[in-house]
Amino acid sequence: MTETEQLLTRVAAEARASRPWGWTSLPAPVDAATLDRAETALGFRLPPLLAALYRRVGDGGFGPSYGLLPLLDSAPSGEPAAVAQYLAHRKDGSEDPDWPWPEGVLPVSHWGCGMYACVDCRSPQAPVLLFEPNAHDADTAWYVDAPTLTDWLRTWLDRAGWYEETNDGTDDLAPWTEFRIRTARAEVA
């Protein structure tokens, strides 16, 4: 069994055993057609591990805090789906140049108070970023939560994340230095 298979097995077991706030049950995984529709709407492919979570574990409803967002359809908890969140953030960011939303950065989990865990789908490592807009400045709203989605999932499974009551919160997270590079507008010639 590969490391990824082992991780998916652990995630699936924890997903069946626990329920994040607002979720009454673990949704069924999405089918291939739903994944294709989501990727078409987004304009990019999901990293393989993220796609496997939705295809093999469930359509959201597991993971830290409020759990993973559903991919394409709204959840029983009332939280908009990841695709809808991404498209709304991109639209809002195009209308407000002070708060651009980076292309390919998919919100996957809501922390409350406007905060999201997001996967950088443009990076082969699929880092998980924390969007924390309560600083009131877009340049200081992005942090690296985990260098890879694999690391983020292991941290959750090991109950070692910044969001755990026994930890100090986000104080140790490094700023995401690519924010302005990834949101820079092309110069008009």
Side-chain angles (χ1 to χ4, degrees):
M1 185 180 292
T2 68
E3 279 186 56
T4 299
E5 289 298 322
Q6 290 174 345
L7 180 61
L8 286 167
T9 299
R10 282 187 69 198
V11 168
E14 182 64 24
R16 287 188 301 271
S18 63
R19 203 58 47 240
W21 182 89
W23 293 86
T24 56
S25 63
L26 179 65
V30 301
D31 58 20
T34 300
L35 180 61
D36 288 344
R37 284 195 336 265
E39 290 177 336
T40 297
L42 292 167
F44 55 84
R45 295 186 61 80
L46 297 185
L49 179 55
L50 185 58
L53 291 170
Y54 282 111
R55 289 273 294 129
R56 295 174 50 186
V57 178
D59 189 16
F62 62 93
S65 194
Y66 296 120
L68 256 63
L69 298 169
L71 185 58
L72 196 57
D73 300 313
S74 290
S77 65
E79 186 71 31
V83 171
Q85 292 279 5
Y86 173 78
L87 295 174
H89 285 302
R90 289 286 291 168
K91 181 179 183 291
D92 292 347
S94 70
E95 294 170 359
D96 183 355
D98 291 335
W99 284 92
W101 190 270
E103 191 275 325
V105 176
L106 181 68
V108 296
S109 184
H110 190 238
W111 292 112
C113 299
M115 297 168 52
Y116 286 90
C118 305
V119 174
D120 182 356
C121 297
R122 285 188 45 191
S123 171
Q125 294 79 25
V128 177
L129 307 172
L130 171 65
F131 175 64
E132 208 295 55
N134 299 301
H136 307 291
D137 177 16
D139 290 313
T140 60
W142 292 93
Y143 300 89
V144 178
D145 190 340
T148 68
L149 180 56
T150 298
D151 291 332
W152 188 73
L153 292 167
R154 285 186 180 137
T155 298
W156 165 62
L157 290 167
D158 295 342
R159 292 166 174 58
W162 60 264
Y163 42 83
E164 296 290 339
E165 289 182 26
T166 57
N167 290 334
D168 295 330
T170 60
D171 294 342
D172 294 333
L173 298 181
W176 184 47
T177 57
E178 291 185 35
F179 170 67
R180 279 292 163 195
I181 296 166
R182 294 280 297 278
T183 58
R185 296 186 187 272
E187 296 294 323
V188 177

